[in-house]
Amino acid sequence: MRLTDELTLRRPGTRVTRHGSTCSGSTENGVATEWHLVLPGRPLLTLHDTRWDNGERDLVLHQPSVVPEMPALLANLHGRRRAGIEAVPAGAGRLRLMAWTVMPRTGSDRAGFKKSLTTAELAEHCGLSLLRTLTARPGVTLEPAFDREDLPLVDLEHPQDVKPLQHALYFPKDDDETPVMAYVVTRAMPTLRAVGWLPSPSNS
């Protein structure tokens, strides 16, 4: 699927066994479905959507045994800034991925990470048009991660820039594409822009 004019996300159908640490810190075996991020003239980037034996699941930019030559900021994203996928309590078959975003820092070879943003800030860093593309998918919504009365509604037509909150993307449990797209939009693409491999996001 084409995410932008330059960037394509492909699922080659490859599955690999893994052994490692889960988001909760447990050491487990698992099976990862591979996805490829393709940019013309750039090294191939591989994502792993891993289902661990203990029931956890996460997404990460897979670190190969030899990382191709690329800017340090992007190279250092490999194996870091994972996105956990979890069931929604009483969610009737829905899952969620926290819409935290990678925040590249000037003068640093490692990107920061921000959990709480206004919806306008999230759109600025990730691209409003990309967030709208995600939420236009069947059964997909962007909402506050926590059910609190003092939190504003998440409205991508009129993104609020007053109150920071933690956003989460909710999607049907049989939808394997949306969480991978969300990982790319929130974690990978801000880094690709920071190293000059992608243009600034569209916020129209």
Side-chain angles (χ1 to χ4, degrees):
M1 70 192 78
R2 188 169 292 276
L3 297 178
T4 71
D5 289 343
E6 304 87 0
L7 187 64
T8 302
L9 180 63
R10 297 176 183 167
R11 182 177 181 175
T14 310
R15 290 160 59 89
V16 297
T17 57
R18 289 191 59 193
H19 179 79
S21 179
T22 69
C23 287
S24 69
S26 176
T27 300
E28 302 287 341
N29 294 317
V31 177
T33 300
E34 291 194 333
W35 294 75
H36 291 163
L37 270 178
V38 182
L39 272 167
R42 303 294 187 184
L44 185 72
L45 300 174
T46 299
L47 308 177
H48 274 184
D49 178 356
T50 304
R51 289 167 169 83
W52 300 98
D53 288 353
N54 69 345
E56 292 185 61
R57 180 181 172 192
D58 62 49
L59 282 151
V60 73
L61 183 61
H62 171 61
Q63 183 167 349
S65 56
V66 178
V67 177
E69 184 175 347
M70 63 182 64
L73 187 67
L74 180 57
N76 287 331
L77 186 63
H78 287 78
R80 298 184 176 92
R81 305 309 183 194
R82 286 188 295 174
I85 298 171
E86 58 187 357
V88 180
R94 301 185 81 203
L95 303 176
R96 78 172 184 180
L97 178 148
M98 301 295 284
W100 303 337
T101 186
V102 168
M103 307 280 284
R105 295 177 291 207
T106 302
S108 174
D109 286 343
R110 292 196 177 181
F113 202 48
K114 195 165 185 180
K115 297 181 179 181
S116 294
L117 308 94
T118 67
T119 306
E121 288 174 328
L122 183 68
E124 177 184 354
H125 289 287
C126 297
L128 183 57
S129 62
L130 288 166
L131 293 176
R132 287 173 174 168
T133 296
L134 280 171
T135 56
R137 296 173 62 86
V140 177
T141 58
L142 183 68
E143 304 173 25
F146 305 104
D147 187 12
R148 286 174 25 199
E149 292 183 357
D150 62 330
L151 295 179
L153 295 174
V154 176
D155 182 357
L156 292 179
E157 294 305 314
H158 305 284
Q160 61 87 19
D161 199 19
V162 177
K163 189 176 183 66
L165 67 147
Q166 293 191 42
H167 298 75
L169 197 79
Y170 295 81
F171 53 93
K173 66 178 182 180
D174 59 353
D175 180 354
D176 287 338
E177 291 184 351
T178 293
V180 182
M181 293 173 64
Y183 177 88
V184 174
V185 168
T186 60
R187 271 77 162 176
M189 292 181 75
T191 308
L192 292 171
R193 296 187 194 105
V195 300
W197 287 18
L198 283 177
S200 298
S202 171
N203 282 299
S204 59

